[in-house]
Amino acid sequence: MSRELRQGSIFDALGGSDAIAAAVDGLYERLLADPRTAGYFEGVDLRRLNRHLRVFLTVALGGPEIYHGRDLRSAHAPLGITPQAWDATVAHLLAVLAELDVAADLVDRVVAKIAPLRVLIVTAP
């Protein structure tokens, strides 16, 4: 996709690939330290997962990547992700974005893109 077509994308406003990488690294650091979410990552290839999330977020936020991973529902269904784990993950994402000094209006745009994914990811009561 050309840069002109992406003008005004959330990806660009965040600062591109470097910003996505920093956000994903910070998010995983927090998720692995949180007892509400750490168990979901036991035995998981974190480097591979990190790469997948970077590409996924790049695409979701209007960046120049093509996502080749499984669809979100299929990828998360066997994990039994609870509403509490989803909420903790979103809270960690918000904290990481705040640490990276992302402006509030831009955080709102990120949340607007991520929030609808809840129904695909949360599979447990």
Side-chain angles (χ1 to χ4, degrees):
M1 184 179 282
S2 74
R3 186 147 184 94
E4 295 77 35
L5 292 175
R6 292 187 300 108
Q7 201 68 355
S9 73
I10 299 169
F11 172 82
D12 287 330
L14 284 171
S17 296
D18 290 342
I20 294 294
V24 169
D25 289 347
L27 178 61
Y28 279 125
E29 206 173 283
R30 288 172 164 274
L31 293 173
L32 292 168
D34 185 334
R36 298 171 296 176
T37 54
Y40 291 103
F41 302 99
E42 289 177 14
V44 173
D45 181 348
L46 292 174
R47 290 181 64 196
R48 182 175 172 266
L49 191 60
N50 185 300
R51 283 191 309 271
H52 273 282
L53 185 55
R54 286 181 189 199
V55 172
F56 178 81
L57 287 176
T58 296
V59 172
L61 300 176
E65 286 280 356
I66 297 173
Y67 181 70
H68 296 288
R70 291 183 291 161
D71 68 273
L72 291 179
R73 186 179 304 275
S74 298
H76 293 89
L79 301 176
I81 295 176
T82 64
Q84 296 80 12
W86 169 267
D87 292 343
T89 301
V90 171
H92 287 309
L93 177 61
L94 294 174
V96 166
L97 294 175
E99 285 176 1
L100 296 173
D101 293 322
V102 175
D105 63 319
L106 191 50
V107 170
D108 291 344
R109 291 175 63 195
V110 171
V111 170
K113 287 286 192 180
I114 301 301
L117 303 178
R118 184 183 199 279
V119 299
L120 301 173
I121 293 173
V122 174
T123 58

